[in-house]
Amino acid sequence: MREHLDSMVDEFKQLAGEDEKALNLARQQETLNLIRFISRKSLSNWQKEALIEWVIDNIHELEANPFNDYEQIESLKEAFTETLESTFGALSVDEAEPESPSTEEPPKHTDHNQDDLFGFDNITADQEAEEESYFYDDFDPFEYDFDLHQEQLANEEKAQKAKLDDLFKSSSVRKMFRQLSKQLHPDLEQDEQLKAQKHQQMTALLEARRNHDVLTIFNMHSTVFGSNTNSFTSDEIQQLIPLLKNQLEQEQHAKESIIHEDMLQATVYDWFNAKTPQATTATMKNYVKELKTKRQTIERTAQHITSIAKLKPYLEIRYDQAMAHHLEHMLFT
């Protein structure tokens, strides 16, 4: 699994790494260009609100991208924070007439800090108290015996291991192991390439026997000889099914843990992993095309916005989109 992930990440870096960096640079430059308009008094409050949200969206995009220089992002956030606090500290209600197509202006921001700007929600003291009350109403720590829970888990694991050990001693599993050992023994192979392949398979088989890993032996036997359910008695099959199900769940959990050890690794796997290496490569190449298009759009937008007059149409579009999203959220949630 790790080799597969490393291979995917290396391929992604080779195909998309430079384009990701170029996109991030374009977004940083666009964001710096937007920040310099925040203090302009000719913008109404709703326009400043749309502009601020635009900058915050860009910063979130930059923070989520593993190809970024995080020191540059911090500098960008500091510049944004200083500009915003300075601007709103001097802003009064009468400084700008609203030009919004809406009859109501969004509330103005005051007393900003970085937690306010880059957090998704601002929670008041009353909300915190309400959430804390809800938590304790729903969960009483004195009713939860952690040690007892851990003991129960340990007992379940011990019982599971005992069942696996018993099953592993069955004649069916031992027969499967002997058949595989004979078929996969590297000393019986003349071709050097096949001999090396069988050596790896034999190593995996011996490790499975050492760990009483019935699932691996079962899968290897199916791969080499085809379906093997007839090798088991009905009682063994009834015993095998829940054990294999549990082992599959553990394997899946271990796989998920490995995938999400690293943000870039998890992203590459979630976005691009396909049934074949060729399909994975094709998906990555399509993504690179999208990156190039997105970067070109951002660069053209940044180059076009050279004045307040050219900025305002973009702000109106973003404001309308935000209002439509808010309305949709109210109607369908």
Side-chain angles (χ1 to χ4, degrees):
M1 185 65 194
R2 293 185 185 277
E3 292 181 1
H4 177 59
L5 286 171
D6 290 342
S7 176
M8 285 186 64
V9 170
D10 289 342
E11 182 179 14
F12 179 74
K13 287 180 178 179
Q14 182 178 359
L15 289 174
E18 293 304 315
D19 288 289
E20 287 278 12
K21 293 176 182 178
L23 173 62
N24 290 335
L25 180 60
R27 183 169 276 122
Q28 289 177 23
Q29 292 173 342
E30 178 194 57
T31 306
L32 284 171
N33 186 43
L34 295 173
I35 289 174
R36 71 187 183 91
F37 286 106
I38 292 176
S39 61
R40 303 291 287 271
K41 295 182 178 181
S42 55
L43 289 177
S44 66
N45 291 344
W46 74 266
Q47 289 170 332
K48 288 181 184 290
E49 180 80 12
L51 180 57
I52 289 167
E53 291 298 330
W54 190 350
V55 173
I56 291 176
D57 287 345
N58 277 6
I59 291 175
H60 284 161
E61 289 283 346
L62 291 168
E63 287 180 318
N65 193 301
F67 288 93
N68 261 308
D69 183 338
Y70 289 98
E71 290 185 2
Q72 292 183 354
I73 296 177
E74 288 303 313
S75 298
L76 192 66
K77 289 166 67 174
E78 289 176 6
F80 177 43
T81 303
E82 292 173 2
T83 301
L84 188 59
E85 290 179 341
S86 173
T87 300
F88 279 90
L91 187 66
S92 65
V93 176
D94 297 327
E95 281 182 318
E97 290 297 326
E99 301 172 13
S100 167
S102 171
T103 58
E104 293 185 15
E105 285 190 338
K108 300 194 302 295
H109 291 276
T110 56
D111 298 328
H112 288 281
N113 54 49
Q114 287 210 18
D115 291 337
D116 294 332
L117 294 176
F118 307 112
F120 290 101
D121 294 298
N122 297 323
I123 301 176
T124 65
D126 290 341
Q127 289 173 320
E128 287 183 352
E130 182 179 348
E131 289 183 4
E132 184 176 356
S133 173
Y134 175 82
F135 173 80
Y136 283 108
D137 287 343
D138 199 45
F139 174 74
D140 186 351
F142 296 105
E143 293 183 0
Y144 181 79
D145 192 329
F146 180 79
D147 291 336
L148 177 60
H149 179 66
Q150 292 298 106
E151 183 180 351
Q152 290 173 344
L153 290 177
N155 289 337
E156 289 175 5
E157 184 177 350
K158 185 177 180 180
Q160 186 80 5
K161 185 178 183 302
K163 291 180 181 179
L164 279 172
D165 291 344
D166 291 341
L167 182 62
F168 199 84
K169 295 174 184 176
S170 70
S171 59
S172 299
V173 175
R174 284 184 293 176
K175 179 182 178 181
M176 290 166 59
F177 179 83
R178 287 195 300 269
Q179 290 174 338
L180 285 168
S181 299
K182 183 177 179 180
Q183 183 71 20
L184 299 177
H185 202 293
D187 292 345
L188 302 178
E189 185 60 60
Q190 300 299 321
D191 184 275
E192 290 299 323
Q193 184 175 358
L194 292 176
K195 189 172 185 176
Q197 180 181 349
K198 286 191 173 183
H199 176 74
Q200 293 179 344
Q201 291 174 316
M202 193 67 182
T203 300
L205 178 63
L206 293 173
E207 183 178 357
R209 183 181 67 173
R210 188 164 52 250
N211 296 330
H212 287 190
D213 186 353
V214 179
L215 179 61
T216 295
I217 295 176
F218 188 88
N219 287 337
M220 291 181 71
H221 197 277
S222 296
T223 301
V224 175
F225 297 106
S227 176
N228 51 23
T229 54
N230 293 332
S231 301
F232 294 94
T233 67
S234 58
D235 290 340
E236 287 173 340
I237 290 176
Q238 291 300 317
Q239 186 181 11
L240 182 64
I241 290 174
L243 293 175
L244 292 181
K245 181 179 179 182
N246 180 269
Q247 196 165 355
L248 281 170
E249 291 174 352
Q250 292 179 358
E251 292 285 340
Q252 184 63 31
H253 178 72
K255 176 182 175 181
E256 292 292 329
S257 298
I258 292 172
I259 291 172
H260 292 90
E261 286 176 348
D262 176 79
M263 184 177 74
L264 176 59
Q265 179 175 279
T267 302
V268 170
Y269 183 86
D270 290 341
W271 288 8
F272 305 111
N273 186 56
K275 293 183 178 180
T276 65
Q278 294 80 6
T280 296
T281 300
T283 306
M284 288 184 182
K285 288 182 177 179
N286 288 333
Y287 175 76
V288 171
K289 292 179 182 178
E290 294 174 3
L291 284 180
K292 294 180 185 294
T293 300
K294 188 181 294 185
R295 173 177 57 81
Q296 291 169 356
T297 300
I298 291 176
E299 287 175 344
R300 284 196 296 266
T301 301
Q303 292 170 1
H304 181 255
I305 300 176
T306 56
S307 66
I308 290 291
K310 292 181 178 180
L311 172 64
K312 286 182 177 181
Y314 290 94
L315 298 180
E316 184 168 346
I317 291 172
R318 290 185 64 88
Y319 182 81
D320 289 343
Q321 290 174 342
M323 291 299 100
H325 177 74
H326 179 66
L327 180 60
E328 181 180 356
H329 179 75
M330 291 178 60
L331 292 174
F332 298 104
T333 59

